[in-house]
Amino acid sequence: MHAFSRPSPRLSRRSLLALAATAVTAPLTAAPLAATPAAAASDVVVGGARLVADGVQVNGGGALPKKLTARAWLLADQDSGEVLACYRAHLRVAPASTLKMLFADTLLDRFERTERYRVTDADLAGIPSGSSLVGVKAGVTYTVEQLWQGVFLRSGNDAVQVLARMNGGVAKTVAEMQARAVDLQALDTHVVSPDGYDHDGQLSSAYDLALFARHGLRDAGFRAYCGTRTAEFPAGGGKTFQIENTDRLLSGTYGVTPYPGMIGVKNGFTSNAGNTFTGAATRAGRTLVVTVLHPKSGHNAVYEETAALLDWGFAQGSSARAVGTLVEALSEGGTRAAGSSAGKAPHAGAQASSAEGGGPDGWGVLGGAGGAVALLAGGAYALRRRRRRSGEVPPAS
């Protein structure tokens, strides 16, 4: 199993207990989602004040692609974290299955990929009707690697639920994902289910999804899973069937041309969220990360707009000056964004989209006793964060 990393002095057990005690005694009220005054925005915006400014944010690099219809999008450099261009980066909308990147960021190193698990009927109970499924069956034994292939390639909510049950249950997994989001400083994100399926209040943003992708791509296992085009999946009785990655820029299906240098990462779709996608590609040693959320129309529009932004980034983005930055995780040496902390409202501009699965207007990040639970979970995560094994790469198929 993975070794535990040394705990950060800022997250000592004594400090966590003290903070939790304070939070438990706080009133159980939710912070409003309304934006704070514009004058104060620079003090509380994760990644930089321009990320909540009106309109497209870009500084040099030439004209951006003309046909960008997405409700929100962001383009960033994977290595430096510089945000090269964006539009409504912190708008909180329904993420659909792109939220599975946070699920992987939270649980990917929890089990050895060769570990085997026999699925029961109870493991599959309660999966929402209409969910995307890879075809997990009760009574069949799967390796952890096969379950993760079901998550990444087919966006299988059944595979997600089995892994969550192995982790101690859906509720525990949701709490750990929320704590992980706080650690990553993804304060637009509110987790209701681990699979990203539509639920009231389940929200994220182009900025947060880029954070999840950037962090995940630093892990060899995450990178290999999201870049796998096909795999053989158990069908029971010693038989298998082939599954194919639903990322069309990777697989080149449904009329989409594979994007040169495409790495992954994760697509999503529900009737409520529309199409969502976070992708990454490498050219000439440079890797760019793009999130595109809810383009107006066209079943391939999310991929077309992603490709257009990548083309711009590789061709002209090198001369663009950063308009913001993707921040580092607190448990990995990141500096907490000024004014943003567990127990406070999301930063200015983080209003929910009422037309796209926006949840309760009064939901706030980690308020009251709920904040104590998530704070403890976040501290426990940092205290026992496991070292990534850069050499453990699942074989590509």
Side-chain angles (χ1 to χ4, degrees):
M1 298 299 292
H2 298 275
F4 296 142
S5 62
R6 293 182 180 179
S8 166
R10 293 177 300 168
L11 294 170
S12 67
R13 190 176 300 277
R14 180 176 297 177
S15 297
L16 285 169
L17 291 174
L19 287 168
T22 301
V24 169
T25 60
L28 290 174
T29 55
L33 275 179
T36 56
S42 61
D43 294 330
V44 295
V45 176
V46 178
R50 289 192 64 174
L51 302 189
V52 292
D54 290 336
V56 172
Q57 301 303 305
V58 65
N59 193 359
L64 286 163
K66 293 181 179 179
K67 296 182 179 180
L68 296 176
T69 68
R71 292 178 58 82
W73 55 264
L74 179 145
L75 171 68
D77 185 279
Q78 166 72 13
D79 294 328
S80 70
E82 292 183 341
V83 177
L84 305 177
C86 66
Y87 174 63
R88 305 172 87 185
H90 282 298
L91 181 71
R92 300 173 70 213
V93 295
S97 287
T98 49
L99 194 65
K100 289 181 171 78
M101 293 186 296
L102 176 60
F103 177 72
D105 281 340
T106 306
L107 293 190
L108 193 59
D109 64 350
R110 198 63 55 85
F111 311 102
E112 296 289 350
R113 61 190 181 91
T114 55
E115 183 175 335
R116 299 172 66 80
Y117 183 79
R118 185 178 177 85
V119 175
T120 67
D121 287 325
D123 292 327
L124 301 175
I127 297 174
S129 175
S131 290
S132 56
L133 305 172
V134 65
V136 176
K137 295 181 180 179
V140 177
T141 298
Y142 301 86
T143 65
V144 166
E145 178 180 45
Q146 289 165 339
L147 292 171
W148 279 117
Q149 288 172 339
V151 172
F152 277 93
L153 275 66
R154 295 301 303 172
S155 204
N157 289 4
D158 46 358
V160 169
Q161 181 149 312
V162 171
L163 286 163
R165 296 267 301 189
M166 291 173 64
N167 186 53
V170 169
K172 177 176 180 286
T173 299
V174 165
E176 290 180 353
M177 288 174 65
Q178 190 67 66
R180 186 60 174 138
V182 172
D183 177 52
L184 291 170
Q185 305 199 66
L187 300 187
D188 302 325
T189 297
H190 180 215
V191 184
V192 178
S193 69
D195 51 29
Y197 194 80
D198 288 335
H199 294 279
D200 287 343
Q202 182 131 282
L203 300 167
S204 193
S205 67
Y207 183 87
D208 285 8
L209 293 168
L211 285 181
F212 303 153
R214 184 183 185 222
H215 185 273
L217 289 172
R218 292 171 173 172
D219 177 75
F222 183 109
R223 195 179 182 104
Y225 281 130
C226 76
T228 299
R229 289 174 171 78
T230 62
E232 292 298 316
F233 197 78
K239 298 180 180 180
T240 64
F241 60 94
Q242 187 178 84
I243 57 175
E244 185 174 55
N245 202 310
T246 55
D247 173 357
R248 297 177 189 178
L249 286 176
L250 186 71
S251 61
T253 54
Y254 295 96
V256 176
T257 301
Y259 192 85
M262 195 69 188
I263 299 171
V265 179
K266 191 70 191 76
N267 61 323
F269 173 80
T270 66
S271 57
N272 178 53
N275 287 287
T276 62
F277 183 63
T278 298
T282 299
R283 282 189 194 172
R286 189 184 194 197
T287 299
L288 299 179
V289 176
V290 180
T291 297
V292 174
L293 300 176
H294 312 194
K296 288 185 178 179
S297 64
H299 68 291
N300 283 332
V302 73
Y303 301 108
E304 293 165 353
E305 295 186 23
T306 295
L309 285 166
L310 286 170
D311 284 344
W312 180 87
F314 287 123
Q316 302 178 52
S318 58
S319 61
R321 295 181 293 279
V323 297
T325 185
L326 299 179
V327 297
E328 299 292 338
L330 297 175
S331 64
E332 297 173 7
T335 300
R336 189 182 298 278
S340 65
S341 62
K344 290 192 176 183
H347 44 69
Q351 295 136 310
S353 168
S354 59
E356 298 289 351
D361 291 338
W363 181 82
V365 176
L366 304 178
V373 174
L375 183 61
L376 280 171
Y381 179 90
L383 286 170
R384 59 181 174 81
R385 183 171 60 86
R386 305 173 183 199
R387 297 188 188 278
R388 302 280 188 173
R389 292 183 178 179
S390 60
E392 285 195 359
V393 184
S397 299

